[in-house]
Amino acid sequence: MRVEVMQHFGLATPFNQAGYYETAHHQALMKDIQGAIHEGRLIALCGVIGSGKTAMMRRLQQILEAEKRVTVSKSLAIEKHHSKLATFIAALFYDLSTEKQVRIPAQGEKRERDLRELVRKNKRPVALFVDEAHDLNGHTLTGLKRLMELVEDGDGRLSVVLAGHPKLRN
């Protein structure tokens, strides 16, 4: 049926390969989000399935990486409902560490102190992107907020960009 619809409307490229289209509203929203990232904010992108949250996050990551004013970190964890704060701390260590063999301290206090120092030495704001964030539990979300505060107390700046379904707002 998809092929028939494409032929009927004269479409040659499937939607998932058509690229990224930005309206003036998207551009304004991207600038607002970029400003919030530079300030070290917690950002939640909420929308129904298929509304473009993931595409927008990918585009935002591309822009930030090209500008080289913000270090982009991404959680690659797939099973978000099982993800704990330690998962996101590990993602930050992997993305910020300059060593070939990344060593993440097992002891909590040392781990957080080392992470805070990594962010500070980075000398740029860090943005951690988490897609499908609606599956995270409340303790993990609270921990991410506390981690942002901990990094800020150490003269660094960490933003967390969460994308998920509308239930993320709750």
Side-chain angles (χ1 to χ4, degrees):
M1 177 158 165
R2 192 182 89 190
V3 173
E4 293 165 348
V5 171
M6 288 180 64
Q7 288 174 345
H8 175 77
F9 288 105
L11 302 173
T13 306
F15 285 118
N16 64 347
Q17 297 173 9
Y20 186 79
Y21 176 76
E22 240 177 26
T23 65
H25 178 70
H26 281 106
Q27 291 170 348
L29 184 58
M30 290 288 256
K31 284 186 189 242
D32 285 347
I33 294 171
Q34 284 176 288
I37 287 171
H38 287 284
E39 293 172 10
R41 295 286 186 80
L42 177 64
I43 301 143
L45 295 174
C46 298
V48 297
I49 295 170
S51 62
K53 300 175 301 292
T54 300
M56 182 176 232
M57 280 187 35
R58 286 180 181 151
R59 180 69 180 134
L60 182 58
Q61 290 168 12
Q62 290 171 346
I63 290 168
L64 293 172
E65 287 172 339
E67 287 178 347
K68 298 184 182 195
R69 292 178 44 215
V70 172
T71 300
V72 173
S73 180
K74 301 176 233 182
S75 169
L76 303 181
I78 295 171
E79 296 180 350
K80 296 295 195 264
H81 60 282
H82 290 300
S83 295
K84 305 283 185 217
L85 182 60
T87 302
F88 301 109
I89 290 174
L92 288 163
F93 266 98
Y94 285 123
D95 291 337
L96 295 175
S97 182
T98 56
E99 300 173 16
K100 285 186 178 184
Q101 192 67 28
V102 178
R103 293 189 191 108
I104 304 170
Q107 183 193 24
E109 183 71 22
K110 172 111 174 83
R111 182 184 61 211
E112 281 83 27
R113 287 178 183 269
D114 287 358
L115 178 60
R116 188 165 72 172
E117 186 63 17
L118 261 178
V119 173
R120 190 186 64 73
K121 282 183 179 177
N122 187 54
K123 297 183 180 172
R124 297 189 293 191
V126 175
L128 173 64
F129 287 83
V130 182
D131 204 357
E132 304 297 325
H134 53 269
D135 283 336
L136 297 177
N137 70 50
H139 295 294
T140 303
L141 292 170
T142 301
L144 286 168
K145 176 72 169 106
R146 178 66 189 117
L147 184 61
M148 291 171 54
E149 294 164 351
L150 181 114
V151 167
E152 185 178 359
D153 290 345
D155 293 327
R157 192 167 300 145
L158 172 65
S159 292
V160 178
V161 182
L162 305 169
H165 303 171
K167 82 174 198 178
L168 177 59
R169 284 187 264 154
N170 300 332

